[in-house]
Amino acid sequence: MKVGVLTGGGDCPGLNAALRGVVYRAHQHGDETVGFLDGWKGVRDGEYRPLALAELVEAAGRGGTILGSSRTNPFQAPDGIARVGRSLRAAGVDALVAVGGDDTLSAALELSKHGGKVVGVPKTMDNDVNGTDWTFGFDSAASVAMDAVERLRDTARSHHRVVVLEVMGRHAGWVALATGLAAAADFTVLPEEPYDEGRLVRHVRAALAARGYAVVVASEGAAVVPTKGSAGGRDDFQHEILRERGVGAFLARQLEAATGVEARSAQIGHIQRGGAPTLFDRLLSLRLGAKAADLAHDGQFGQVAVLRGAEVVGIPLADAVASPKVVPPAWLDLLHTFDA
Ligand code: F6P
């Protein structure tokens, strides 16, 4: 059997380890693997190359993806399905493994509905894919953000300032939540909660009174600034590009005005998405990649490999893309335990 694999959407640490999982397990089954370049774009345009075991040994510990990625939606054009079908047939591919977040997996579901033999692997630093306890990329990205808060804390303490770190995560607050909790931020602003300026200011004033400086973490998707519609642009999947919203800078200005204390903001942006995957992300990626190769080999198409508790299992793609997974109330309760 010939298995094609693609990595789509925003890159994150762990993608190369997932490829290692797919390719090695496929090899164990006696299956051949080829990699499509730049996500669904490579499938649409028939751009692919063989994947050798040897290259994956060194790549597995590196960030990014050796196959490249894009946010291309192959089904945007009316002839998308036909074009993808032709391209897969021309490549002689019997099964496709799509590694990606909700957009990439939605495209996989679309292909599956049209008879395509496809399985999925969830990845995203946002951790917002349904049906899986965690996505790889998240632990690595949040660990980088945690380190950034600790660095910002040093400079905030020295200058007796308020510092706001804006992290990514789109419309799910997992990265901000984990960063704020792990780095003991004085307040964390999430998309899952209505923005309460009075509450934020109270917590920052209390931190200033206690320690002479304050640290705030804010998610880029928090409902802090009025939405600009498509002013920041939209991608192929019609998602608003959030970097232009400037949530962190907006909060720093508000806090400086409210407290009279100098405030600064930093936007960590894509720094979170690069670098080596953590141990947790490497192991999760390898396991999910290997499971996807099993699903493909066994003809269990339309499934996605996910983490459920300690086990890696297959669930229907439709369940994974039904709606984004946002931070539930139990995690919000834990976060607010530390609002002193
Ligand atoms: O989905 C991953 C993510 O990093 C989001 O957190 C962020 O909003 C978006 O991608 C940024 O996308 P791009 O890399 O296209 O700027």
Side-chain angles (χ1 to χ4, degrees):
M1 179 170 190
K2 192 174 190 180
V3 179
V5 56
L6 68 90
T7 54
D11 68 345
C12 68
L15 283 167
N16 292 323
L19 293 175
R20 182 171 168 232
V22 173
V23 172
Y24 270 73
R25 182 57 64 82
H27 180 76
Q28 206 176 35
H29 288 309
D31 296 335
E32 188 190 337
T33 40
V34 294
F36 286 94
L37 308 182
D38 300 334
W40 284 106
K41 180 175 176 299
V43 179
R44 185 193 65 190
D45 300 344
E47 291 163 355
Y48 62 94
R49 69 170 178 83
L51 275 171
L53 297 180
E55 64 180 315
L56 291 160
V57 173
E58 290 197 0
R62 293 207 311 263
T65 161
I66 57 168
L67 289 180
S69 192
S70 71
R71 294 195 184 278
T72 305
N73 180 355
F75 306 127
Q76 219 179 13
D79 67 342
I81 288 285
R83 202 167 156 185
V84 163
R86 272 198 306 275
S87 161
L88 290 173
R89 278 192 300 279
V93 160
D94 304 297
L96 184 66
V97 177
V99 185
D102 51 354
D103 296 334
T104 303
L105 297 177
S106 303
L109 176 63
E110 188 63 17
L111 180 61
S112 166
K113 283 181 182 163
H114 287 83
K117 294 179 174 172
V118 57
V119 302
V121 174
K123 69 86 214 164
T124 167
M125 61 155 282
D126 300 343
N127 193 39
D128 62 350
V129 176
N130 237 321
T132 187
D133 291 352
W134 301 103
T135 54
F136 66 80
F138 166 70
D139 185 61
S140 305
S143 299
V144 172
M146 176 184 74
D147 177 64
V149 171
E150 279 162 6
R151 288 163 192 268
L152 290 170
R153 180 185 294 284
D154 289 343
T155 158
R157 189 192 303 112
S158 306
H159 288 268
H160 320 292
R161 284 173 174 159
V162 175
V163 176
V164 182
L165 178 68
E166 177 186 321
V167 298
M168 284 183 175
R170 224 166 227 174
H171 298 291
W174 291 103
V175 177
L177 172 90
T179 305
L181 272 172
D186 295 302
F187 201 79
T188 304
V189 188
L190 303 178
E192 285 83 356
E193 296 184 302
Y195 174 52
D196 182 343
E197 185 190 346
R199 192 174 176 195
L200 168 67
V201 170
R202 266 198 315 282
H203 283 285
V204 166
R205 281 207 179 112
L208 289 170
R211 278 184 272 104
Y213 73 93
V215 177
V216 172
V217 173
S219 173
E220 63 176 354
V224 165
V225 284
T227 180
K228 287 184 185 166
S230 58
R234 286 186 186 270
D235 65 23
D236 252 21
F237 290 89
Q238 295 310 308
H239 294 299
E240 185 190 355
I241 295 169
L242 296 174
R243 64 168 183 248
E244 305 300 342
R245 297 181 77 208
V247 163
F250 180 87
L251 288 177
R253 282 196 300 276
Q254 266 197 342
L255 287 169
E256 187 167 293
T259 62
V261 173
E262 220 180 4
R264 295 285 188 271
S265 68
Q267 197 179 34
I268 190 169
H270 294 82
I271 294 168
Q272 286 159 112
R273 291 227 310 250
T278 57
L279 172 73
F280 178 85
D281 279 344
R282 288 182 202 202
L283 294 180
L284 180 57
S285 315
L286 288 172
R287 294 178 75 199
L288 295 178
K291 179 69 182 179
D294 289 343
L295 292 170
H297 185 78
D298 297 342
Q300 294 189 45
F301 301 117
Q303 298 263 306
V304 56
V306 297
L307 181 70
R308 287 277 171 90
E311 301 303 317
V312 165
V313 297
I315 65 165
L317 265 167
D319 294 353
V321 300
S323 58
K325 181 182 70 181
V326 295
V327 175
W331 276 107
L332 299 177
D333 284 351
L334 181 69
L335 181 68
H336 296 309
T337 304
F338 301 101
D339 289 355

